Amino acid sequence: MTAALLAGSLTACGSSSGTSDDGSAAAESGSADGDTITITNVSYDPTREFYEAYNEIFAEYYAEETGQSVEVVQSHGGSGSQARSVIEGSDADVVTLALAHDITLIEEAGLIEEGWIEEFEENSSPYTSTIVFLVRSGNEKGIEDWDDLTAEGVDVITPDPKSSGGACWNFLAAWYYADLLYDGDEDQMKSFVSDLYDNVLVMDSGARGATTTFVENGQGDVLIAWENEALLAMEEYPGEYEIVTPSVSIKAEPSVAVVDENVDDNGTREVAQAYLEYLYSDEAQTLAGENYYRPSNEEILETFSDTFDLSVNLCTIDDFGGWDQAYEDFFQDGAIFDEIY
């Protein structure tokens, strides 16, 4: 990344002076005292640039609508780690995480009310992404699809599903490909994904760390990446990288929710609710597209058809029985990921 972008990966972004990179809230966060309301958004790794811009347009919108100024403390890290930080006491007013299961864990801890996924449109997922491969210019190893990642001598970079939501999407996309390839033969599917993970050179705790390993540190032949991360790297380093879209991938749905217990304690429910609702506005949807997320608004998404491959074959989390079932099958202790890695 450029120096500015790398700096953003080392210090969390936000429109407030109180920022954190590990899920811990700044001292003044979650407060409705004084002339300015301050809320905390605990998010996952690759959303830094998007929320840095979004916090500004939301603050302008909210001031125009209510006359009230608002600042947003922003926190970033691996999605699973961020969820745990909220459970352990990080004073998040809202969470904008990489997958629904991470928010469900916060719900199960009693901090978010049941039914949160239906509170906002599109399963409370205002933008989506998918999983692609980022390779160095020239694609020396000839990587075209998932099976190429199992070849001898191919070094793969992908984060750890135990801490990163993006890594869970990566794993499921690879598993779905193996399912189609071997017609549901689970032994062969496990062998295939095991071969892929045997080629993993570095397994960072979060998606942005994995991008830094590949782009900044020059390690690996291929990065399994969020589409938005790959496009951002292409923008920052024109001519140095190529995106390879595999034959099948997955519709990744990052989820958002109000942290009910915290906003009630902080007196910030109204602004927290508005903060997430405004993500569905035309202005915010366009901003999401400009930051390489796929807008949930189909009409606005179509305006970015030159940016995104809208013809890619995408499975969804429903193909795995939903996130609760997928987590139980693949990522909890002793499940399939632990079996193969």
Side-chain angles (χ1 to χ4, degrees):
M1 306 286 167
T2 63
L5 181 53
L6 180 58
S9 74
L10 297 176
T11 59
C13 303
S15 57
S16 164
S17 59
T19 59
S20 168
D21 213 39
D22 61 0
S24 57
E28 72 270 32
S29 65
S31 172
D33 297 331
D35 296 332
T36 299
I37 299 175
T38 304
I39 62 171
T40 298
N41 174 11
V42 171
S43 194
Y44 66 106
D45 261 334
T47 60
R48 303 163 192 267
E49 293 76 26
F50 170 62
Y51 278 111
E52 181 178 24
Y54 175 73
N55 292 343
E56 292 183 5
I57 68 168
F58 172 74
E60 292 174 3
Y61 158 78
Y62 199 73
E64 290 173 2
E65 291 292 311
T66 68
Q68 175 71 60
S69 62
V70 59
E71 292 180 334
V72 183
V73 175
Q74 201 65 40
S75 171
H76 297 278
S79 186
S81 300
Q82 293 290 76
R84 287 190 291 274
S85 78
V86 175
I87 293 169
E88 292 167 0
S90 176
D91 194 20
D93 297 277
V94 300
V95 286
T96 56
L97 297 178
L99 46 88
H101 180 76
D102 289 334
I103 298 181
T104 298
L105 293 176
I106 303 172
E107 174 199 326
E108 291 173 350
L111 300 174
I112 294 177
E113 295 173 1
E114 292 183 11
W116 65 268
I117 202 166
E118 299 173 354
E119 188 167 353
F120 302 101
E121 299 172 29
E122 304 294 335
N123 293 324
S124 289
S125 181
Y127 43 81
T128 68
S129 191
T130 188
I131 303 304
V132 299
F133 306 149
L134 187 68
V135 299
R136 306 186 195 284
S137 183
N139 192 9
E140 181 180 340
K141 296 295 177 71
I143 294 164
E144 300 295 338
D145 214 339
W146 291 99
D147 54 344
D148 296 316
L149 305 192
T150 67
E152 185 176 353
V154 173
D155 290 330
V156 177
I157 307 297
T158 183
D160 186 351
K162 294 292 188 176
S163 56
S164 167
C168 294
W169 292 114
N170 294 356
F171 183 96
L172 292 179
W175 184 266
Y176 187 76
Y177 175 86
D179 192 359
L180 296 178
L181 183 64
Y182 295 112
D183 197 25
D185 185 320
E186 188 163 300
D187 287 339
Q188 292 190 80
M189 292 158 64
K190 287 181 180 178
S191 178
F192 175 88
V193 180
S194 179
D195 288 344
L196 191 161
Y197 277 84
D198 281 346
N199 281 351
V200 172
L201 180 66
V202 178
M203 188 175 286
D204 291 283
S205 62
R208 178 54 60 84
T211 302
T212 299
T213 293
F214 185 73
V215 173
E216 292 293 329
N217 299 339
Q219 295 182 262
D221 301 305
V222 55
L223 171 70
I224 309 177
W226 289 98
E227 180 183 50
N228 54 285
E229 281 286 273
L231 287 167
L232 186 61
M234 294 274 287
E235 176 188 304
E236 294 295 326
Y237 291 96
E240 294 190 29
Y241 298 96
E242 300 174 18
I243 290 177
V244 175
T245 302
S247 61
V248 295
S249 192
I250 192 166
K251 181 181 180 181
E253 296 180 303
S255 300
V256 304
V258 173
V259 184
D260 295 291
E261 182 169 300
N262 290 349
V263 297
D264 288 342
D265 289 344
N266 296 333
T268 54
R269 178 174 290 278
E270 181 178 333
V271 65
Q273 186 81 14
Y275 182 80
L276 297 185
E277 286 176 351
Y278 195 65
L279 285 167
Y280 293 88
S281 68
D282 288 354
E283 185 178 15
Q285 289 284 290
T286 300
L287 184 66
E290 291 169 351
N291 282 270
Y292 303 127
Y293 288 94
R294 298 184 176 213
S296 63
N297 182 312
E298 290 292 333
E299 292 183 2
I300 295 178
L301 174 60
E302 286 294 332
T303 68
F304 289 93
S305 59
D306 291 341
T307 300
F308 305 117
D309 181 356
L310 301 181
S311 65
V312 62
N313 179 19
L314 300 178
C315 65
T316 73
I317 196 60
D318 292 338
D319 292 304
F320 300 89
W323 259 114
D324 289 345
Q325 188 63 53
Y327 194 84
E328 180 179 339
D329 290 344
F330 295 100
F331 305 119
Q332 71 178 12
D333 290 345
I336 288 174
F337 178 75
D338 282 351
E339 283 185 44
I340 69 158
Y341 191 72

